[in-house]
Amino acid sequence: MDFIMGLGDIKTIEDIIKTFYICILTYYTNFKVINKEIKNSWKNNFIVFISMIIIVVICRFIKNILGFSYNIIFMILLINVVFVLLNKQRFAYSLLVTVISLSINYSIFSISVILTFVPIMLLNLYNTSFGLLLISIIYPILIYLFFNIKRFKRGFSFLQKNIGNENIDILILNVSIIILFCITMLSNYNIISSNTFGFSLIIFSIIMFITIQKSLQLYYKQKLQERETNDIKEELKNKDKEIEELEKENLRLNKTNHSIAHKQKSLEYELNQLLLKNEIVEENNIKSKLETISKEIQNENTAIEIDKTNIPEIDNMLKYMQSECIKNKIDFELQINGNIHHMVNQYIQKSDLEILLADHIKNAIIAINHSENINKNILVRLGLIDGFYSVYIYDSGIEFEIKTLINLGIKPSTTHEKDGGTGMGFMNTFDTLRKYKASLVIHEYGKPSKDNFTKLIKVIFDNQNEYKISSYRKEDIQKQDIEKRVSF
C-alpha cells in the first residue's frame, strides 16, 4: 500500500516519463486495433516523437491546474488530433479508436504495477523510482504480448467491420469510459480512502450497466433490421436475375420462332411446288389449281429462272423469296460468285446463311412496300466479292430510321409490325456476326430514286466483327449516337 501511495507522489520527471510511455504506446495501439501498418519513416517517427513530448508537457500542465480527470480528456483529444492529421482518419471514428487504445494501455499499465510487486517484494526494495523502472520495462512487453495473442493479432474486427455502426460505437465507447473512470478513480488515492467512494462506484456501475444493456438492445435490433434488409435485397436480386433469364429465354424463343417462320414459309412453297407436280392428285383438282394459278400469273410478273447455289436449302429459300417479290411486284435479281459450297463449309453454316438471306430480303421487301418509288428492285449478290465471301443485298426502299440504325442488334425494333416486321432479323444478324466474326456495313446512297438503289447491306466474313455506316446522313446520325457505337 505504501508503494501504491508512493506512485501518487512521484517526481515530475518520472511522471513525465510515465505519461510519455502511455502516450506513445497509445498511438502505437491505435494502429494495432484497426490492423493498419505504421508509416515507418524517419520523418514520420520524428513528428510523432516531438508531438508526444508536446502532449506530455500540455497534459502535465493540465494535471497541475485542473487535475487528473481533465488530464485524461486532453490526452485523448491531443493523441487523436495527431492520429487524424498523420493518417487521414475520420475524426469521430479515430476518437473512438483512441479511447479504446488508451483504455487498453491504462489497463495493461495497471497490470504492470501489480506484476512489479513480485520483484519488489522479493528484493525488499520499496523504492518508487525502481518500481517505475520495472513498470517501464514490463508495460511495453505486455502491450507487445497482448497484440501477439491470436485473437488480437489482426486487431479488433468490430472496429474494422462496423465503421459507421453507431450502436456498436456507443457500446464500445461506454466500456472504454468505464475503464478510464475506474483508472481515474484508482489513480486518485485520496478518493479511494473516502467514505463515499464505494457508494459512488455502485451508483456509477448501475448507470453504466443500464446504458450498456440499452446499447446492446439497440445493436441487436439494428443487426436484425440489417439482416432483414439484406434478405430482401437478396430476394430482389434473385427476382431480377429470374426476370433477366426469362427475358433472355423470351428473346431466344422469339429468335427461334422468327427463324422457323422463314423455314416454314420456304417449306410451304416447296410443298406447293411438289403438289403442282404430283401426278397422284386428282385430275380435276390439278386442273382447278392450274387455272387459279394461271389467273394469278396473268396479273403478276413471270418468274425468271435465278442462279443456283446447288445447296437445296439455300436455293429453296431464294426461290421462295423470289416468289414473295413477284407477289409484291418487285424485280428480284440474284448474282452468285464463286463456290458457295466452300462458303458454307468454311465461313458460315448453311442454316445460318439461309436465315440471314431470308431476314434481309424480307426487310428489303417491307422497305420497298413502304416507299412510293416506282423503282422496285432487289439485288442479292452472294459469294466471293472484293476478296471476301460476303452477302450483299441492295434495295430501292425507304431508309432506316436513325434511332433504328443506332440500336441495331441491341434490342428488337420495328416500325412495320402490320407487315410482319418483328425487329428480330437484325438481332439474328448480330448473333451471326459475333459467331463468325463477320462485319456489317450499311451504305445509304440517298432518298428513294427511280434511277438507283437506296441502300446496300453488306455482311462480310472478314474476321473483323465491325459495324460501319456509310451514309449521306452521317452528321445527323453522329448527333444522335451518344455512345459513339457506330463507326463511319
Side-chain angles (χ1 to χ4, degrees), residues 217-422:
Q217 286 175 354
L218 284 171
Y219 172 68
Y220 287 124
K221 280 181 182 178
Q222 186 176 359
K223 290 297 288 182
L224 187 62
Q225 287 176 349
E226 285 178 2
R227 191 178 300 166
E228 288 176 354
T229 303
N230 289 333
D231 288 343
I232 291 168
K233 283 181 180 178
E234 189 65 30
E235 191 174 341
L236 287 171
K237 191 177 177 182
N238 290 333
K239 292 290 182 187
D240 289 341
K241 202 175 281 184
E242 284 179 20
I243 291 168
E244 189 180 345
E245 287 175 0
L246 286 170
E247 285 177 347
K248 285 181 180 178
E249 182 64 19
N250 186 45
L251 186 62
R252 188 187 66 79
L253 288 171
N254 284 338
K255 287 180 182 178
T256 305
N257 291 337
H258 181 78
S259 300
I260 290 171
H262 285 314
K263 291 183 178 181
Q264 183 182 6
K265 288 177 181 178
S266 176
L267 187 58
E268 285 174 2
Y269 176 78
E270 187 180 356
L271 287 171
N272 287 332
Q273 295 298 313
L274 288 171
L275 283 171
L276 288 172
K277 297 174 182 177
N278 195 340
E279 295 178 358
I280 302 173
V281 180
E282 294 181 5
E283 186 179 346
N284 291 335
N285 287 339
I286 293 173
K287 189 175 180 180
S288 62
K289 284 181 181 179
L290 286 173
E291 286 175 356
T292 304
I293 291 167
S294 296
K295 288 178 183 178
E296 289 178 359
I297 290 173
Q298 285 174 4
N299 297 321
E300 303 291 344
N301 296 328
T302 305
I304 299 169
E305 189 69 27
I306 57 175
D307 292 344
K308 290 185 178 181
T309 63
N310 295 319
I311 299 170
E313 293 87 350
I314 305 296
D315 288 335
N316 287 334
M317 182 60 75
L318 288 168
K319 283 179 184 177
Y320 164 66
M321 284 299 165
Q322 183 193 29
S323 72
E324 289 294 301
C325 287
I326 291 170
K327 285 180 186 177
N328 290 279
K329 297 180 180 179
I330 298 169
D331 291 332
F332 180 82
E333 186 180 350
L334 173 66
Q335 293 178 5
I336 296 173
N337 303 312
N339 188 343
I340 307 304
H341 280 282
H342 179 70
M343 184 176 178
V344 296
N345 286 330
Q346 297 295 324
Y347 296 96
I348 181 172
Q349 293 178 8
K350 61 184 176 183
S351 58
D352 290 330
L353 179 59
E354 183 184 355
I355 299 305
L356 186 69
L357 288 164
D359 279 334
H360 290 288
I361 296 171
K362 181 183 177 182
N363 287 346
I365 293 170
I366 293 172
I368 291 171
N369 284 339
H370 279 79
S371 171
E372 296 179 0
N373 192 1
I374 59 171
N375 175 21
K376 295 187 176 185
N377 284 289
I378 294 174
L379 168 61
V380 177
R381 297 178 67 195
L382 177 63
L384 190 63
I385 307 170
D386 296 333
F388 294 103
Y389 276 94
S390 311
V391 176
Y392 283 27
I393 298 175
Y394 300 78
D395 74 72
S396 58
I398 59 171
E399 311 114 308
F400 287 104
E401 290 185 2
I402 291 175
K403 189 182 286 187
T404 303
L405 278 175
I406 293 167
N407 290 322
L408 283 182
I410 297 176
K411 56 185 179 181
S413 177
T414 182
T415 53
H416 310 302
E417 290 182 12
K418 292 180 181 179
D419 298 302
T422 63

Side-chain angles (χ1 to χ4, degrees), residues 473-488:
R473 300 183 295 166
K474 179 179 177 180
E475 291 182 2
D476 294 331
I477 297 169
Q478 284 177 327
K479 284 178 185 176
Q480 294 191 39
D481 187 13
I482 298 169
E483 296 181 4
K484 305 299 177 190
R485 177 173 179 252
V486 180
S487 58
F488 293 88

Side-chain angles (χ1 to χ4, degrees), residues 1-10 128 188-190 192-193:
M1 236 0 242
D2 289 338
F3 174 70
I4 294 172
M5 295 301 289
L7 287 174
D9 300 320
I10 58 176
T128 305
N188 194 336
Y189 305 106
N190 294 324
I192 295 173
S193 59

